[in-house]
Amino acid sequence: MHTIQEWITERLTDLGLVNDAASQLDNTIVLLFIILITIAIDYTCRYIFLGMFKKLAKRTKNQWDDLIVERKIINKMMHIIPAILVYILVPFAFPPEEFPKLLIFLQKVCAIYIIAVSLRFISASLNVIHEIYNQKETFKDKPLKGFIQIIQVTIFFIGFIFIISILINKSPVTLFAGLGASAAILMLVFKDTILGFVAGIQLSANDMLRAGDWITMDKYGANGTVIEVTLNAVKVKNFDNTITTIPPYALVTDAFQNWRGMSESPGRRIKRSINIDMNSVCFCNQEMLDKFRKISLITDYIDGKEEELHRYNEEHHIDNSIWVNGRRQTNLGVFRAYLVRYLQSLPDVNKELTYMVRHLQPTETGIPIELYFFSSIKDWVPYEGVQADVFDHILAVIPEFGLSVFQNVSGSDLRNLTFRIGNK
C-alpha cells in the first residue's frame, strides 16, 4: 500500500501539482481506494454468504433459518466487515507519523461504528431467538421477553461504556470501577427495571403468569387475557378490547386472580341459585304423585321413594290419616330430585366433577335452591349459553311441581291488584 501511495504521489507531481498538495491528495485518493475496496468486499460477502444461506434455508424445514433471512441478520453481521477493514487499512492512507491526530480520529469513528453495528446485530439476534422459542409449545407461554430485554439492556449498557471509553481515551475497566461508587444512583434511576426483572424471575420461577392467561386484578381494572410480559410492563387485553398495563412487581406484591386453573381443568363451575316462595311448598297428595310419575326423569325415583316411605310408616305404625305423621314426599323434594337427574341427563355437564342441588339458608326472599355443577364447555360464550339453557328450563318447569319463584312486588302487580279491587 505504501508503494501505491508513492506511485500516486509521483504521478500527481508529474502533472505539475505542488509536492505538498500532491502528498495530501494522494492520501485522500488512497483513503477513497480503501473505501472502494471495503465496499466491494462488503457486497461480495453479502452476495456470496447471503445467497448461500438463502438457498440453504429454502432446502431445510427449520423455521429459525427462515427467520434469520426475514430479519436480515446476515446483512447486519456483514456490515461489521467493511468497518474492520477500514480500521485496519486507514493507517496506509494516513500514516501515524504524518497524521497522528487524524488517524486516531478516523480509527475512533471506525471503532464506534463497529460497536454500534455489533450491538444492533446482537439485539436483532436475541429478538430472533425470542421468536424461535416463542413458537415452541414448551416456551410459548413463558415470559421470555422480559429476560431478552434485560440481556439487551445489559449489552447496550456495556457497549455504551466501551464507546465512552473510546471517546475519552480511558480503559473500560476504569469506567466500570467508577460505576461502583454510583451504584445507589443507578439503582434509583433503574428502579423500575430492576424491580421488573426480579418480579419477572419470580413470576416465571413460580409459574404465576404466562402469556395467554386470563387474569383479574380489580386494583388496576384488569380483566382479560395477558398478551405480553415485558421487563417493565404486563399488558392485559380486557374483554372490552381496552389494554391495561400493570407493573410486573405489582403482580408479586398485590393479589390477582389467574383463571388458568379453570382453563386447564376438565370443567368450568356453575354456581347459581333460585329463590322458591316458601308458601308454595307442600306435601304431595296422590294426584300430584301420579302427575310426577309421568315425568320420565323421576318415574323410578317416585316409585322407589314411595315404597321406602310406605315401608317406614308401616314399620313404625304411623297414623296416615294425619299428614304430619310419618314421612311423606314434598313437591320441593321431588323438584330437587328432578334437578339432579336433569343435570345427569345433560351432555355438557361433567359427571366426573361435583354436581348437586342443595338448600341454602331461607331468607325473607324465599328458600334459595342452589345448583352446583361444572360445565365441560369452558369457552366464555358457549359456557354462558349452557348456563342460560339450564336456568331457562328450570324457571319454566317450576310451576309443574306446584312451586312458584319468589319475586318482589312490582308496579304492574300493584296496578293489577287495584284493577281487580275496583272491578269488585
Side-chain angles (χ1 to χ4, degrees):
M1 188 68 70
H2 190 65
T3 305
I4 295 174
Q5 184 178 0
E6 290 179 351
W7 181 83
I8 293 173
T9 304
E10 292 177 358
R11 301 286 77 78
L12 292 174
T13 304
D14 293 340
L15 291 174
L17 294 173
V18 181
N19 194 32
D20 293 339
S23 176
Q24 294 178 0
L25 188 58
D26 71 346
N27 291 329
T28 305
I29 293 174
V30 171
L31 179 62
L32 294 175
F33 182 68
I34 291 172
I35 294 173
L36 290 174
I37 291 176
T38 54
I39 292 174
I41 293 174
D42 177 42
Y43 276 98
T44 304
C45 291
R46 276 195 284 173
Y47 177 79
I48 295 175
F49 289 104
L50 187 58
M52 291 174 59
F53 196 85
K54 284 183 177 179
K55 291 180 181 178
L56 181 64
K58 290 180 180 179
R59 294 178 182 177
T60 61
K61 296 181 180 180
N62 298 322
Q63 295 184 346
W64 62 268
D65 49 9
D66 297 328
L67 282 173
I68 289 176
V69 173
E70 291 175 6
R71 302 296 181 266
K72 298 181 179 180
I73 301 299
I74 303 296
N75 288 4
K76 292 180 175 64
M77 182 179 67
M78 290 300 170
H79 286 313
I80 301 174
I81 297 175
I84 294 175
L85 290 175
V86 171
Y87 183 87
I88 295 173
L89 298 177
V90 74
F92 292 99
F94 300 99
E97 60 275 5
E98 298 179 14
F99 306 94
K101 293 183 179 180
L102 181 59
L103 177 61
I104 292 173
F105 173 76
L106 293 176
Q107 286 187 326
K108 282 185 177 181
V109 172
C110 291
I112 293 172
Y113 179 81
I114 291 170
I115 293 174
V117 173
S118 301
L119 293 175
R120 185 186 177 199
F121 165 70
I122 295 172
S123 178
S125 301
L126 289 172
N127 289 332
V128 169
I129 292 172
H130 174 253
E131 289 188 54
I132 293 171
Y133 278 94
N134 207 34
Q135 293 174 358
K136 297 183 178 181
E137 291 298 327
T138 53
F139 294 95
K140 192 173 183 180
D141 50 5
K142 300 293 183 183
L144 295 176
K145 190 166 184 178
F147 294 102
I148 295 294
Q149 285 182 327
I150 195 66
I151 294 173
Q152 288 175 327
V153 169
T154 304
I155 291 173
F156 274 102
F157 180 74
I158 294 173
F160 178 75
I161 293 297
F162 274 95
I163 291 174
I164 295 298
S165 68
I166 291 172
L167 292 175
I168 64 176
N169 292 324
K170 295 287 185 180
S171 172
V173 178
T174 305
L175 293 178
F176 280 114
L179 289 174
S182 57
I185 298 176
L186 290 174
M187 290 181 66
L188 181 63
V189 173
F190 297 103
K191 181 190 71 172
D192 292 338
T193 302
I194 295 170
L195 290 175
F197 174 63
V198 175
I201 294 176
Q202 289 180 300
L203 292 173
S204 178
N206 298 320
D207 200 17
M208 297 169 61
L209 187 72
R210 304 175 188 170
D213 285 355
W214 169 19
I215 68 169
T216 303
M217 197 171 188
D218 296 333
K219 181 177 179 180
Y220 290 89
N223 184 14
T225 305
V226 177
I227 57 176
E228 192 175 36
V229 181
T230 64
L231 187 62
N232 295 317
V234 174
K235 294 182 180 179
V236 179
K237 185 176 182 180
N238 299 314
F239 294 123
D240 58 359
N241 290 329
T242 58
I243 304 295
T244 299
T245 302
I246 306 173
Y249 54 84
L251 295 169
V252 177
T253 57
D254 297 333
F256 72 97
Q257 189 172 20
N258 192 329
W259 295 83
R260 189 203 315 156
M262 177 275 296
S263 302
E264 295 176 349
S265 69
R268 183 173 178 179
R269 190 184 71 174
I270 296 176
K271 181 183 177 184
R272 184 178 290 184
S273 61
I274 292 180
N275 290 344
I276 302 296
D277 190 344
M278 288 182 281
N279 294 321
S280 63
V281 180
C282 64
F283 288 117
C284 294
N285 56 30
Q286 191 60 44
E287 182 183 353
M288 294 173 67
L289 292 175
D290 292 339
K291 177 184 177 181
F292 295 155
R293 281 191 179 93
K294 296 179 182 180
I295 302 175
S296 59
L297 288 177
I298 56 173
T299 300
D300 58 340
Y301 170 79
I302 296 294
D303 292 336
K305 196 69 175 177
E306 276 298 296
E307 183 179 348
E308 175 191 341
L309 297 180
H310 181 72
R311 188 185 315 112
Y312 176 86
N313 291 337
E314 280 190 349
E315 291 176 356
H316 292 80
H317 308 289
I318 301 299
D319 181 8
N320 289 326
S321 62
I322 300 178
W323 282 29
V324 176
N325 295 332
R327 295 174 58 193
R328 300 182 186 279
Q329 296 196 68
T330 63
N331 57 347
L332 184 57
V334 174
F335 178 61
R336 287 190 294 108
Y338 169 80
L339 291 181
V340 172
R341 283 157 178 76
Y342 173 66
L343 293 178
Q344 289 175 340
S345 68
L346 295 178
D348 295 331
V349 174
N350 193 316
K351 314 304 187 303
E352 297 178 359
L353 300 176
T354 303
Y355 63 96
M356 63 178 175
V357 179
R358 62 175 182 166
H359 277 211
L360 298 181
Q361 175 67 36
T363 65
E364 67 276 5
T365 57
I367 305 174
I369 301 299
E370 183 183 81
L371 279 77
Y372 186 102
F373 61 99
F374 288 84
S375 168
S376 56
I377 298 175
K378 294 172 285 185
D379 292 339
W380 190 13
V381 174
Y383 161 82
E384 292 292 345
V386 171
Q387 185 170 226
D389 289 342
V390 170
F391 284 89
D392 287 349
H393 177 82
I394 293 173
L395 289 171
V397 83
I398 282 176
E400 299 297 324
F401 292 88
L403 298 167
S404 59
V405 179
F406 182 90
Q407 182 172 302
N408 288 327
V409 178
S410 64
S412 59
D413 295 327
L414 295 175
R415 284 194 297 270
N416 291 334
L417 180 62
T418 303
F419 177 75
R420 291 176 184 176
I421 293 174
N423 288 339
K424 291 181 178 179

